[in-house]
Amino acid sequence: MTTRATELLRVIHARPGVTRADAARLIGVGTGATTELVGRLGHAELLAEAPAAPSGSRGRPTTALIPHPRGPLIAATSITHEQWRVDVVELGGAALATIREDLGDRTGDEVVAAVGAAVARLRTEYGDRIRGIGIAVPGTVSRDLMLDASNLNWRNVDLAAIWPKAGIFVAGNDATLAASAESHRGAAVGASVALHLRVEAGLGGAVVDGGRVLVGALGAAGEFGHMPFGDPTVECPCGAYGCWGTAVDGSALARLLGHHQPRDPISYARRVIASTDPAPAAATATAATALGRGIAGLVNGLDPDLVTLGGLGTDLLAAAPAHINQAYRAGLMGFRRENPPPILPSTLGDDGPLAGAAEEAWTALLTTLV
Amino acid sequence: MTTRATELLRVIHARPGVTRADAARLIGVGTGATTELVGRLGHAELLAEAPAAPSGSRGRPTTALIPHPRGPLIAATSITHEQWRVDVVELGGAALATIREDLGDRTGDEVVAAVGAAVARLRTEYGDRIRGIGIAVPGTVSRDLMLDASNLNWRNVDLAAIWPKAGIFVAGNDATLAASAESHRGAAVGASVALHLRVEAGLGGAVVDGGRVLVGALGAAGEFGHMPFGDPTVECPCGAYGCWGTAVDGSALARLLGHHQPRDPISYARRVIASTDPAPAAATATAATALGRGIAGLVNGLDPDLVTLGGLGTDLLAAAPAHINQAYRAGLMGFRRENPPPILPSTLGDDGPLAGAAEEAWTALLTTLV
DNA sequence: CTTCTTAAGCTCGGATGTGGAGCATATTCT
DNA sequence: AGAATATGCTCCACATCCGAGCTTAAGAAG
């Protein structure tokens, strides 16, 4: 049951710096109920009031609703192929602290231990204010919090070690979480249905419907890279043939250019896409065409308002927009061609997964605060 | 804001014949609040109580909560390529009356007029108890309720003429609505995420997530038949190439068999699929393989608990289960192969779209009843 | 500098819905 | 017939919320 108190906290979280009067109007309560609500939530150390920027117009000035200085916090974590990072995030999405470190040659369990130590350090500083954690990882997370990241050669890494305490624990795929971030704080704000796609080693993403990320029955939705939009003769590491991911990522570029599979396919792909030599440009164009064609298929099936591209997708969109768009339009159903959903670059870039981890953990936490 | 009253009505709708005590436990209220709730909703003529079947165990017997004999009703309508039908449906999904008629050679506007007349007749019988209408059509419905059904050669047929009054008005694609019905009353009951696919002339369907049908930004989601899983050299009537729908429906079978495109592709396909001659059986196997391969792609991307097949999909599943399943398994990501989501025939069959129209209209109505 | 206008916040009373304790009721079991 | 069990009802307390009327804090007008 959604109470007014939860609604108010959600509004403050979604629109940091909202004024008290605006927030009351947004949730549709009168001034009397607002007095009671703000007083109660302030007393519970969930929010505080600060002088608002002067509006310049007549009337009694209102205040800005801000996170309480002793209010709850979320630890947001991301692990990428290069580094790990932990942020302490308050209501509204602002970060109070950051710890980060390169992965180096560490194993998965060593990285989890390092992240756990960082979280423990932050807990000595912030104490029980940290009510939960959100973790973005470049792989799949099972129900029992075991991480598999084929890209990093990690198998069965136990994420539970990061956060032994009770509270909120959200862990998910980086592309899925980036989709959430893009919908709440990025290029897809306001979309009723948004599709976010993230190309790194392979391709992932998510559909966000009315602010809710569709995570699927096992939490494994969004593996759009394994839809058979690609070349049916190419075998994917997943075991299937024709996976779309194998047609758009670094491995695809290497195959098109006759190179060995690169050790770091993401940096490799960035170099290829940035190159203006004819051979790399042609490979980039081919990958961009495959990307556009697949996006069209997903748009036909899922009917989003817009599509956002993250990771290497952003690079491809910048380097070969014409190839993406031509293949996109050609693949759309007739009635969509007149006014196709726009394909936009992600605005959060590499911070997307971390921001999404914070977002999903905060969403979960908000339902538990009264 | 979801009130207890709405929750109770939803429980009664979802589980017709539920006992009062069970319903109270399901929504988590005590016996005191239950007395107040049932009294209030009974007084509002939304529900009534009937003697429940004896439980056989000790304790004071409870009653069954049933729709009120003067309670609200929904008119559920479906238009197929063969006939139209209007049911009057009460809370819980039971039909009180049915009117149906073959389409014959009527135009779209004539059919809409006939359906409108049937609804008007039912309104003289049931009066203002009929609070709204749900309509399932074999085509796409725009925001302003204009229907395009290329299969029937209907363009810009105005559905608003069926229901001139205020109230609930829900209109949608038959495959999308069948997905809703399958999730609420059919083979996908209890699934957290269900994918329903319906092959008729082309292929459509929907994802149902936690009981909510994902309708997309324009209400056009579920056009999975226009994802490019098919032969890239085949042009689809939609203007794109390689659409999956062109690889699995009656037009695909005719192409494989070297036949002209049939006038009624659904009856044609039923005949081909039912045939045991070698050529039709081979064509059926090819279509079944294309169906299984595409299902695998969708399962990889959308992560449903299970997949239900309606329309000709049911026939294909009965005629060539091995071909569907082999292609399905081959296309799944490795980690899914051990325990793949089952592919099940629809249990509602041809009644799916009508049942879904009733379901969606009732869902909409329930949010408006206090 | 005073008064007017405007927007916002506060106080209070009443309506509503909910939760729990204790009692009443209807059935099966012994 | 009495015990055991499950359910329903009455009553009271509490939290929430809405609206009316009043108060407060700013800019605008003179």
Side-chain angles (χ1 to χ4, degrees):
Chain A
M1 185 121 66
T2 310
T3 71
R4 296 290 194 199
T6 309
E7 283 182 74
L8 178 58
L9 290 176
R10 276 202 252 268
V11 166
I12 297 171
H13 181 65
R15 312 168 64 139
V18 69
T19 66
R20 178 188 157 131
D22 284 345
R25 272 189 294 267
L26 282 168
I27 64 176
V29 299
T31 62
T34 304
T35 300
E36 191 268 346
L37 261 180
V38 172
R40 185 155 46 99
L41 296 179
H43 193 74
E45 302 197 336
L46 294 173
L47 59 80
E49 290 179 84
S55 73
S57 62
R58 283 189 188 183
R60 177 171 177 172
T62 183
T63 58
L65 298 177
I66 59 172
H68 194 281
R70 289 186 302 279
L73 302 170
I74 282 291
T77 304
S78 82
I79 299 173
T80 71
H81 66 294
E82 287 179 329
Q83 64 169 12
W84 59 261
R85 172 170 164 194
V86 184
D87 276 21
V88 174
V89 179
E90 65 180 2
L91 184 72
L96 301 185
T98 297
I99 299 179
R100 66 169 91 200
E101 193 179 35
D102 284 349
L103 293 195
D105 286 329
R106 297 195 184 177
T107 67
D109 290 321
E110 286 167 354
V111 170
V112 163
V115 173
V119 171
R121 219 179 320 152
L122 292 167
R123 282 177 65 87
T124 63
E125 187 173 350
Y126 292 96
D128 287 342
R129 289 182 62 195
I130 300 182
R131 303 287 187 86
I133 192 165
I135 306 179
V137 295
T140 57
V141 182
S142 67
R143 285 251 180 271
D144 53 348
L145 302 177
M146 301 304 278
L147 160 65
D148 279 0
S150 57
N151 185 25
L152 293 168
N153 254 322
W154 293 2
R155 295 234 157 264
N156 282 320
V157 175
D158 187 2
L159 294 176
I162 293 179
W163 182 257
K165 311 274 176 178
I168 303 296
F169 196 121
V170 176
N173 176 266
D174 51 3
T176 308
L177 292 169
S180 168
E182 215 56 53
S183 288
H184 288 107
R185 314 265 177 203
V189 168
S192 70
V193 181
L195 171 63
H196 179 71
L197 298 173
R198 192 173 174 86
V199 183
E200 293 200 300
L203 187 160
V207 178
V208 185
D209 183 313
R212 277 183 345 117
V213 181
L214 305 180
V215 296
L218 306 174
E223 293 286 356
F224 301 121
H226 299 280
M227 301 188 94
F229 298 151
D231 179 342
T233 66
V234 174
E235 183 174 11
C236 177
C238 83
Y241 284 80
C243 287
W244 188 27
T246 62
V248 298
D249 69 353
S251 75
L253 295 171
R255 196 176 55 250
L256 288 165
L257 291 168
H259 294 170
H260 290 112
Q261 287 302 312
R263 281 206 50 191
D264 179 347
I266 296 168
S267 324
Y268 169 85
R270 285 232 156 85
R271 283 198 305 277
V272 171
I273 296 170
S275 166
T276 53
D277 293 344
T284 298
T286 302
T289 297
L291 183 60
R293 173 176 148 91
I295 293 174
L298 288 175
V299 167
N300 285 340
L302 300 172
D303 188 24
D305 279 310
L306 53 79
V307 182
T308 53
L309 292 182
L312 297 174
T314 312
D315 303 62
L316 283 170
L317 187 60
H323 289 90
I324 291 181
N325 278 309
Q326 194 190 334
Y328 175 51
R329 293 196 166 244
L332 287 175
M333 296 168 67
F335 86 91
R336 291 192 188 277
R337 293 214 185 114
E338 218 169 290
N339 198 15
I343 301 178
L344 304 173
S346 134
T347 57
L348 296 168
D350 291 339
D351 293 339
L354 184 101
E359 212 50 52
E360 291 299 306
W362 259 111
T363 299
L365 179 58
L366 282 175
T367 65
T368 70
L369 302 172
V370 175
Chain B
M1 187 124 64
T2 309
T3 70
R4 296 290 195 198
T6 309
E7 283 182 74
L8 177 59
L9 290 175
R10 277 202 252 268
V11 165
I12 298 171
H13 181 66
R15 312 169 63 138
V18 69
T19 66
R20 178 188 156 132
D22 284 343
R25 271 188 295 267
L26 283 167
I27 63 176
V29 300
T31 62
T34 305
T35 300
E36 192 268 346
L37 263 180
V38 171
R40 184 154 48 98
L41 296 179
H43 193 75
E45 302 196 336
L46 295 172
L47 60 78
E49 291 178 85
S55 73
S57 62
R58 279 187 190 183
R60 177 172 176 170
T62 183
T63 58
L65 297 177
I66 59 171
H68 194 280
R70 289 187 302 279
L73 302 169
I74 283 291
T77 303
S78 82
I79 299 173
T80 72
H81 66 293
E82 285 178 327
Q83 63 169 11
W84 59 261
R85 173 171 162 195
V86 183
D87 275 20
V88 174
V89 178
E90 66 180 2
L91 184 72
L96 302 184
T98 296
I99 299 178
R100 66 170 90 199
E101 194 178 38
D102 285 349
L103 292 195
D105 287 329
R106 296 194 185 179
T107 66
D109 290 321
E110 287 167 353
V111 170
V112 163
V115 173
V119 171
R121 220 179 320 150
L122 291 166
R123 282 178 63 88
T124 62
E125 187 172 349
Y126 292 96
D128 287 341
R129 289 183 62 194
I130 301 182
R131 302 286 187 88
I133 192 165
I135 307 178
V137 295
T140 58
V141 182
S142 66
R143 286 248 180 272
D144 53 347
L145 302 178
M146 302 304 278
L147 160 64
D148 279 0
S150 57
N151 185 24
L152 291 167
N153 253 324
W154 293 2
R155 294 235 157 266
N156 281 320
V157 175
D158 187 4
L159 293 176
I162 292 178
W163 182 258
K165 309 276 175 178
I168 303 297
F169 195 122
V170 175
N173 177 266
D174 50 5
T176 308
L177 292 169
S180 168
E182 214 57 52
S183 287
H184 288 107
R185 313 267 178 202
V189 167
S192 70
V193 182
L195 171 64
H196 179 72
L197 298 173
R198 194 173 172 85
V199 183
E200 293 199 298
L203 187 159
V207 178
V208 185
D209 182 312
R212 276 183 347 115
V213 181
L214 304 180
V215 297
L218 306 173
E223 292 288 355
F224 301 120
H226 299 280
M227 302 188 93
F229 298 150
D231 179 343
T233 66
V234 174
E235 183 173 11
C236 177
C238 82
Y241 285 79
C243 287
W244 187 29
T246 63
V248 297
D249 69 352
S251 76
L253 295 171
R255 197 176 56 250
L256 289 164
L257 291 168
H259 293 168
H260 291 113
Q261 286 302 313
R263 280 205 53 193
D264 178 347
I266 296 168
S267 324
Y268 168 84
R270 284 231 156 85
R271 283 197 305 276
V272 171
I273 296 170
S275 166
T276 52
D277 293 345
T284 298
T286 303
T289 297
L291 183 61
R293 174 176 146 92
I295 293 174
L298 288 175
V299 167
N300 285 340
L302 300 171
D303 188 25
D305 279 309
L306 53 78
V307 182
T308 54
L309 293 181
L312 297 173
T314 311
D315 303 63
L316 282 170
L317 187 59
H323 289 89
I324 290 181
N325 279 308
Q326 195 191 335
Y328 175 51
R329 293 196 165 242
L332 286 176
M333 297 167 67
F335 86 91
R336 291 191 188 279
R337 293 213 185 115
E338 219 169 289
N339 197 14
I343 301 178
L344 305 173
S346 134
T347 57
L348 296 168
D350 292 339
D351 293 339
L354 184 101
E359 213 48 52
E360 291 300 306
W362 259 111
T363 299
L365 179 58
L366 282 175
T367 65
T368 71
L369 301 172
V370 175

